[in-house]
Each structure stands twice: as structure tokens, then as C-alpha cells.
Amino acid sequence: MIAEHILAKEFTRVVTQYYPTLGELLDGCHVKVITCFWGRPARRLQYIGIYCCEEILPHVQARKHILRELAHNMGLVEVVCMNAKRLLRDPMSKLKQTNPRLWLELQWVTTK
């Protein structure tokens, strides 16, 4: 089984290699592989989470079909694009306490 961070780097590398303009957009985003368990019996599902600033988000979502196709070819279920600024400003979010590194990386993404 491949580690999540290695899988995310490989996804970004493949996107940059085959779709250079889309790869440039992903340079300003944080790409993460997210694992969840769903169903009975619980199945392990992995998907790509792309955290973008609100200026880049519409451009990434416009090319989401390409990202989904690449994700499916890598054995991932889905691609989800999220607005990093909304996540950081959510008053109910516990992200800063639970995952401070991700919180700092999202701060960096929103300032780009």
C-alpha cells in the first residue's frame, strides 16, 4: 500500500507531466489524498482533496473531468475541490488543533 503523501505527489507529478497548464494551477494549491471508510462492511476509499484559494478554484473546477480521469486511473475514487479560505475561517473548524501543518499550508495557499 502506498502512503497518502506519496500518492498525492505522484498525482501532482502526472498532472504536471501530461497537462502542464493544469499543473501550474495545482502549484498554487494543496493536494492531499484523503482516506475514508464507508458502508457495511466498511470499505476503504481514497480520494483527492484539492484546497485552492477562491481565485484559482473556478479554473481548477473547470478542468475537474481531467483530474477525475487521472484519479480513477490511479485507483482513487473522486476529486474534491475546496475553498481553503472558507475552511480556515469556519468558526467551528478544529483544523488548527488537529492538524497544524495542514492549517499552515492552507494559510500559505490563501495568501498566494
Side-chain angles (χ1 to χ4, degrees):
M1 186 166 24
I2 300 174
E4 292 175 351
H5 67 281
I6 295 172
L7 198 55
K9 284 182 184 178
E10 185 65 18
F11 179 79
T12 306
R13 187 192 66 77
V14 169
V15 170
T16 304
Q17 182 176 354
Y18 291 104
Y19 302 96
T21 55
L22 185 55
E24 288 177 17
L25 284 175
L26 290 184
D27 284 340
C29 302
H30 178 76
V31 178
K32 182 176 177 151
V33 174
I34 302 166
T35 303
C36 66
F37 296 91
W38 187 76
R40 291 227 160 126
R43 276 186 40 202
R44 183 175 169 263
L45 303 173
Q46 289 184 313
Y47 62 95
I48 294 284
I50 301 175
Y51 301 92
C52 306
C53 64
E54 49 193 335
E55 292 83 25
I56 296 176
L57 190 61
H59 301 291
V60 174
Q61 286 183 334
R63 295 171 181 87
K64 199 171 178 178
H65 63 282
I66 296 170
L67 297 171
R68 277 190 183 136
E69 184 179 329
L70 289 172
H72 287 294
N73 288 336
M74 292 179 73
L76 303 167
V77 178
E78 186 62 59
V79 174
V80 178
C81 300
M82 293 172 260
N83 186 342
K85 188 178 280 187
R86 289 187 75 193
L87 182 62
L88 289 173
R89 295 195 177 179
D90 181 6
M92 299 301 288
S93 175
K94 304 265 189 257
L95 185 63
K96 187 174 182 180
Q97 292 80 21
T98 59
N99 197 342
R101 183 176 180 154
L102 176 60
W103 184 80
L104 284 172
E105 289 180 14
L106 293 181
Q107 290 287 345
W108 175 78
V109 165
T110 58
T111 59
K112 261 191 153 182

